[in-house]
Amino acid sequence: MTQETIFEESSGNVFADLGLEDADELFTRGKIGIMEITLHLRPLHAGDRAAETAILL
Protein backbone atom coordinates (compact mmCIF):
# COMPACT_ATOMS: atom_id res chain seq x y z
CA MET A 1 0.00 0.00 0.00
CA THR A 2 1.39 3.43 -0.95
CA GLN A 3 0.51 6.80 0.51
CA GLU A 4 -0.13 9.77 -1.70
CA THR A 5 1.97 12.81 -0.80
CA ILE A 6 -0.11 15.89 -0.01
CA PHE A 7 1.20 19.35 -0.89
CA GLU A 8 -0.16 22.72 0.15
CA GLU A 9 0.43 25.89 -1.81
CA SER A 10 2.42 28.44 0.18
CA SER A 11 1.37 32.03 0.64
CA GLY A 12 5.03 33.05 0.36
CA ASN A 13 5.13 33.90 4.07
CA VAL A 14 6.06 30.87 6.16
CA PHE A 15 4.93 32.66 9.33
CA ALA A 16 1.43 33.21 7.90
CA ASP A 17 1.35 29.59 6.75
CA LEU A 18 2.04 28.59 10.38
CA GLY A 19 -0.87 30.77 11.52
CA LEU A 20 1.16 33.21 13.62
CA GLU A 21 -0.60 36.46 14.59
CA ASP A 22 2.33 38.76 13.80
CA ALA A 23 3.26 36.99 10.56
CA ASP A 24 3.72 40.19 8.52
CA GLU A 25 6.08 41.71 11.08
CA LEU A 26 8.10 38.51 11.38
CA PHE A 27 8.36 38.20 7.60
CA THR A 28 9.54 41.82 7.31
CA ARG A 29 12.11 41.34 10.07
CA GLY A 30 13.39 38.24 8.29
CA LYS A 31 13.77 40.13 5.02
CA ILE A 32 15.66 42.94 6.79
CA GLY A 33 17.94 40.37 8.43
CA ILE A 34 18.73 38.74 5.10
CA MET A 35 19.56 42.13 3.56
CA GLU A 36 21.83 42.92 6.52
CA ILE A 37 23.71 39.64 6.10
CA THR A 38 23.97 40.19 2.35
CA LEU A 39 25.49 43.64 2.86
CA HIS A 40 28.06 42.38 5.34
CA LEU A 41 29.14 39.45 3.19
CA ARG A 42 29.78 41.49 0.03
CA PRO A 43 33.35 42.62 -0.50
CA LEU A 44 32.61 46.28 -1.22
CA HIS A 45 34.63 49.43 -0.72
CA ALA A 46 33.59 51.57 2.26
CA GLY A 47 32.08 54.31 0.07
CA ASP A 48 30.08 51.84 -1.99
CA ARG A 49 28.69 50.20 1.14
CA ALA A 50 27.40 53.51 2.51
CA ALA A 51 25.69 54.37 -0.77
CA GLU A 52 24.12 50.93 -1.08
CA THR A 53 22.84 51.04 2.51
CA ALA A 54 21.22 54.42 1.89
CA ILE A 55 19.48 53.09 -1.24
CA LEU A 56 18.12 49.99 0.56
CA LEU A 57 16.65 51.99 3.43
mmCIF file with all atom_site columns, all heavy atoms in Angstrom, residues 3-6 9 23-24 28 42 50 52 56:
data_model
loop_
_atom_site.group_PDB
_atom_site.id
_atom_site.type_symbol
_atom_site.label_atom_id
_atom_site.label_alt_id
_atom_site.label_comp_id
_atom_site.label_asym_id
_atom_site.label_entity_id
_atom_site.label_seq_id
_atom_site.pdbx_PDB_ins_code
_atom_site.Cartn_x
_atom_site.Cartn_y
_atom_site.Cartn_z
_atom_site.occupancy
_atom_site.B_iso_or_equiv
_atom_site.pdbx_formal_charge
_atom_site.auth_seq_id
_atom_site.auth_comp_id
_atom_site.auth_asym_id
_atom_site.auth_atom_id
_atom_site.pdbx_PDB_model_num
ATOM 1  N N   . GLN A 1 3  ? 1.205  5.589  0.095  1.00 0.00 ? 3  GLN A N   1
ATOM 2  C CA  . GLN A 1 3  ? 0.512  6.804  0.508  1.00 0.00 ? 3  GLN A CA  1
ATOM 3  C C   . GLN A 1 3  ? 0.759  7.899  -0.508 1.00 0.00 ? 3  GLN A C   1
ATOM 4  O O   . GLN A 1 3  ? 1.865  8.029  -1.029 1.00 0.00 ? 3  GLN A O   1
ATOM 5  C CB  . GLN A 1 3  ? 1.014  7.290  1.863  1.00 0.00 ? 3  GLN A CB  1
ATOM 6  C CG  . GLN A 1 3  ? 0.422  6.566  3.033  1.00 0.00 ? 3  GLN A CG  1
ATOM 7  C CD  . GLN A 1 3  ? 0.825  7.241  4.330  1.00 0.00 ? 3  GLN A CD  1
ATOM 8  O OE1 . GLN A 1 3  ? 1.907  7.782  4.435  1.00 0.00 ? 3  GLN A OE1 1
ATOM 9  N NE2 . GLN A 1 3  ? -0.048 7.177  5.311  1.00 0.00 ? 3  GLN A NE2 1
ATOM 10 N N   . GLU A 1 4  ? -0.278 8.647  -0.790 1.00 0.00 ? 4  GLU A N   1
ATOM 11 C CA  . GLU A 1 4  ? -0.134 9.771  -1.700 1.00 0.00 ? 4  GLU A CA  1
ATOM 12 C C   . GLU A 1 4  ? 0.389  10.975 -0.912 1.00 0.00 ? 4  GLU A C   1
ATOM 13 O O   . GLU A 1 4  ? -0.114 11.291 0.167  1.00 0.00 ? 4  GLU A O   1
ATOM 14 C CB  . GLU A 1 4  ? -1.479 10.118 -2.329 1.00 0.00 ? 4  GLU A CB  1
ATOM 15 C CG  . GLU A 1 4  ? -1.393 11.213 -3.353 1.00 0.00 ? 4  GLU A CG  1
ATOM 16 C CD  . GLU A 1 4  ? -2.741 11.484 -3.994 1.00 0.00 ? 4  GLU A CD  1
ATOM 17 O OE1 . GLU A 1 4  ? -3.552 10.559 -4.093 1.00 0.00 ? 4  GLU A OE1 1
ATOM 18 O OE2 . GLU A 1 4  ? -2.954 12.639 -4.380 1.00 0.00 ? 4  GLU A OE2 1
ATOM 19 N N   . THR A 1 5  ? 1.408  11.633 -1.450 1.00 0.00 ? 5  THR A N   1
ATOM 20 C CA  . THR A 1 5  ? 1.965  12.807 -0.800 1.00 0.00 ? 5  THR A CA  1
ATOM 21 C C   . THR A 1 5  ? 1.032  13.992 -1.008 1.00 0.00 ? 5  THR A C   1
ATOM 22 O O   . THR A 1 5  ? 0.557  14.224 -2.113 1.00 0.00 ? 5  THR A O   1
ATOM 23 C CB  . THR A 1 5  ? 3.357  13.140 -1.372 1.00 0.00 ? 5  THR A CB  1
ATOM 24 O OG1 . THR A 1 5  ? 4.181  11.979 -1.256 1.00 0.00 ? 5  THR A OG1 1
ATOM 25 C CG2 . THR A 1 5  ? 4.001  14.281 -0.645 1.00 0.00 ? 5  THR A CG2 1
ATOM 26 N N   . ILE A 1 6  ? 0.789  14.734 0.056  1.00 0.00 ? 6  ILE A N   1
ATOM 27 C CA  . ILE A 1 6  ? -0.109 15.886 -0.009 1.00 0.00 ? 6  ILE A CA  1
ATOM 28 C C   . ILE A 1 6  ? 0.735  17.160 0.071  1.00 0.00 ? 6  ILE A C   1
ATOM 29 O O   . ILE A 1 6  ? 1.572  17.306 0.954  1.00 0.00 ? 6  ILE A O   1
ATOM 30 C CB  . ILE A 1 6  ? -1.127 15.868 1.146  1.00 0.00 ? 6  ILE A CB  1
ATOM 31 C CG1 . ILE A 1 6  ? -1.981 14.604 1.059  1.00 0.00 ? 6  ILE A CG1 1
ATOM 32 C CG2 . ILE A 1 6  ? -1.986 17.119 1.126  1.00 0.00 ? 6  ILE A CG2 1
ATOM 33 C CD1 . ILE A 1 6  ? -2.894 14.405 2.236  1.00 0.00 ? 6  ILE A CD1 1
ATOM 34 N N   . GLU A 1 9  ? -0.174 24.728 -1.179 1.00 0.00 ? 9  GLU A N   1
ATOM 35 C CA  . GLU A 1 9  ? 0.428  25.892 -1.812 1.00 0.00 ? 9  GLU A CA  1
ATOM 36 C C   . GLU A 1 9  ? 0.764  26.924 -0.736 1.00 0.00 ? 9  GLU A C   1
ATOM 37 O O   . GLU A 1 9  ? -0.052 27.216 0.136  1.00 0.00 ? 9  GLU A O   1
ATOM 38 C CB  . GLU A 1 9  ? -0.520 26.501 -2.836 1.00 0.00 ? 9  GLU A CB  1
ATOM 39 C CG  . GLU A 1 9  ? 0.119  27.580 -3.662 1.00 0.00 ? 9  GLU A CG  1
ATOM 40 C CD  . GLU A 1 9  ? -0.761 28.023 -4.807 1.00 0.00 ? 9  GLU A CD  1
ATOM 41 O OE1 . GLU A 1 9  ? -1.682 27.282 -5.184 1.00 0.00 ? 9  GLU A OE1 1
ATOM 42 O OE2 . GLU A 1 9  ? -0.502 29.122 -5.320 1.00 0.00 ? 9  GLU A OE2 1
ATOM 43 N N   . ALA A 1 23 ? 2.555  37.578 11.701 1.00 0.00 ? 23 ALA A N   1
ATOM 44 C CA  . ALA A 1 23 ? 3.258  36.993 10.556 1.00 0.00 ? 23 ALA A CA  1
ATOM 45 C C   . ALA A 1 23 ? 3.892  38.052 9.661  1.00 0.00 ? 23 ALA A C   1
ATOM 46 O O   . ALA A 1 23 ? 5.030  37.893 9.217  1.00 0.00 ? 23 ALA A O   1
ATOM 47 C CB  . ALA A 1 23 ? 2.301  36.129 9.745  1.00 0.00 ? 23 ALA A CB  1
ATOM 48 N N   . ASP A 1 24 ? 3.174  39.149 9.398  1.00 0.00 ? 24 ASP A N   1
ATOM 49 C CA  . ASP A 1 24 ? 3.721  40.186 8.515  1.00 0.00 ? 24 ASP A CA  1
ATOM 50 C C   . ASP A 1 24 ? 4.971  40.829 9.115  1.00 0.00 ? 24 ASP A C   1
ATOM 51 O O   . ASP A 1 24 ? 5.954  41.063 8.424  1.00 0.00 ? 24 ASP A O   1
ATOM 52 C CB  . ASP A 1 24 ? 2.678  41.258 8.216  1.00 0.00 ? 24 ASP A CB  1
ATOM 53 C CG  . ASP A 1 24 ? 1.569  40.759 7.307  1.00 0.00 ? 24 ASP A CG  1
ATOM 54 O OD1 . ASP A 1 24 ? 1.829  39.814 6.534  1.00 0.00 ? 24 ASP A OD1 1
ATOM 55 O OD2 . ASP A 1 24 ? 0.461  41.307 7.373  1.00 0.00 ? 24 ASP A OD2 1
ATOM 56 N N   . THR A 1 28 ? 8.773  40.598 7.594  1.00 0.00 ? 28 THR A N   1
ATOM 57 C CA  . THR A 1 28 ? 9.537  41.815 7.306  1.00 0.00 ? 28 THR A CA  1
ATOM 58 C C   . THR A 1 28 ? 10.871 41.808 8.036  1.00 0.00 ? 28 THR A C   1
ATOM 59 O O   . THR A 1 28 ? 11.910 42.147 7.463  1.00 0.00 ? 28 THR A O   1
ATOM 60 C CB  . THR A 1 28 ? 8.726  43.061 7.687  1.00 0.00 ? 28 THR A CB  1
ATOM 61 O OG1 . THR A 1 28 ? 7.499  43.055 6.955  1.00 0.00 ? 28 THR A OG1 1
ATOM 62 C CG2 . THR A 1 28 ? 9.495  44.342 7.381  1.00 0.00 ? 28 THR A CG2 1
ATOM 63 N N   . ARG A 1 42 ? 29.255 41.004 1.313  1.00 0.00 ? 42 ARG A N   1
ATOM 64 C CA  . ARG A 1 42 ? 29.778 41.489 0.028  1.00 0.00 ? 42 ARG A CA  1
ATOM 65 C C   . ARG A 1 42 ? 31.104 42.208 0.235  1.00 0.00 ? 42 ARG A C   1
ATOM 66 O O   . ARG A 1 42 ? 31.227 43.044 1.124  1.00 0.00 ? 42 ARG A O   1
ATOM 67 C CB  . ARG A 1 42 ? 28.802 42.474 -0.603 1.00 0.00 ? 42 ARG A CB  1
ATOM 68 C CG  . ARG A 1 42 ? 27.597 41.823 -1.167 1.00 0.00 ? 42 ARG A CG  1
ATOM 69 C CD  . ARG A 1 42 ? 26.827 42.841 -1.958 1.00 0.00 ? 42 ARG A CD  1
ATOM 70 N NE  . ARG A 1 42 ? 25.511 42.317 -2.279 1.00 0.00 ? 42 ARG A NE  1
ATOM 71 C CZ  . ARG A 1 42 ? 24.537 43.047 -2.742 1.00 0.00 ? 42 ARG A CZ  1
ATOM 72 N NH1 . ARG A 1 42 ? 24.711 44.335 -2.933 1.00 0.00 ? 42 ARG A NH1 1
ATOM 73 N NH2 . ARG A 1 42 ? 23.384 42.509 -3.014 1.00 0.00 ? 42 ARG A NH2 1
ATOM 74 N N   . ALA A 1 50 ? 28.235 52.444 1.969  1.00 0.00 ? 50 ALA A N   1
ATOM 75 C CA  . ALA A 1 50 ? 27.399 53.511 2.515  1.00 0.00 ? 50 ALA A CA  1
ATOM 76 C C   . ALA A 1 50 ? 26.307 53.900 1.514  1.00 0.00 ? 50 ALA A C   1
ATOM 77 O O   . ALA A 1 50 ? 25.150 54.081 1.884  1.00 0.00 ? 50 ALA A O   1
ATOM 78 C CB  . ALA A 1 50 ? 28.253 54.713 2.882  1.00 0.00 ? 50 ALA A CB  1
ATOM 79 N N   . GLU A 1 52 ? 25.068 52.036 -0.916 1.00 0.00 ? 52 GLU A N   1
ATOM 80 C CA  . GLU A 1 52 ? 24.122 50.928 -1.079 1.00 0.00 ? 52 GLU A CA  1
ATOM 81 C C   . GLU A 1 52 ? 23.177 50.865 0.111  1.00 0.00 ? 52 GLU A C   1
ATOM 82 O O   . GLU A 1 52 ? 21.988 50.630 -0.040 1.00 0.00 ? 52 GLU A O   1
ATOM 83 C CB  . GLU A 1 52 ? 24.854 49.610 -1.248 1.00 0.00 ? 52 GLU A CB  1
ATOM 84 C CG  . GLU A 1 52 ? 23.926 48.463 -1.559 1.00 0.00 ? 52 GLU A CG  1
ATOM 85 C CD  . GLU A 1 52 ? 24.672 47.192 -1.907 1.00 0.00 ? 52 GLU A CD  1
ATOM 86 O OE1 . GLU A 1 52 ? 25.893 47.224 -2.047 1.00 0.00 ? 52 GLU A OE1 1
ATOM 87 O OE2 . GLU A 1 52 ? 23.999 46.166 -2.040 1.00 0.00 ? 52 GLU A OE2 1
ATOM 88 N N   . LEU A 1 56 ? 18.990 51.057 0.054  1.00 0.00 ? 56 LEU A N   1
ATOM 89 C CA  . LEU A 1 56 ? 18.122 49.991 0.556  1.00 0.00 ? 56 LEU A CA  1
ATOM 90 C C   . LEU A 1 56 ? 17.147 50.492 1.611  1.00 0.00 ? 56 LEU A C   1
ATOM 91 O O   . LEU A 1 56 ? 16.068 49.962 1.751  1.00 0.00 ? 56 LEU A O   1
ATOM 92 C CB  . LEU A 1 56 ? 18.973 48.854 1.122  1.00 0.00 ? 56 LEU A CB  1
ATOM 93 C CG  . LEU A 1 56 ? 19.726 48.039 0.079  1.00 0.00 ? 56 LEU A CG  1
ATOM 94 C CD1 . LEU A 1 56 ? 20.647 47.055 0.764  1.00 0.00 ? 56 LEU A CD1 1
ATOM 95 C CD2 . LEU A 1 56 ? 18.759 47.304 -0.824 1.00 0.00 ? 56 LEU A CD2 1
#
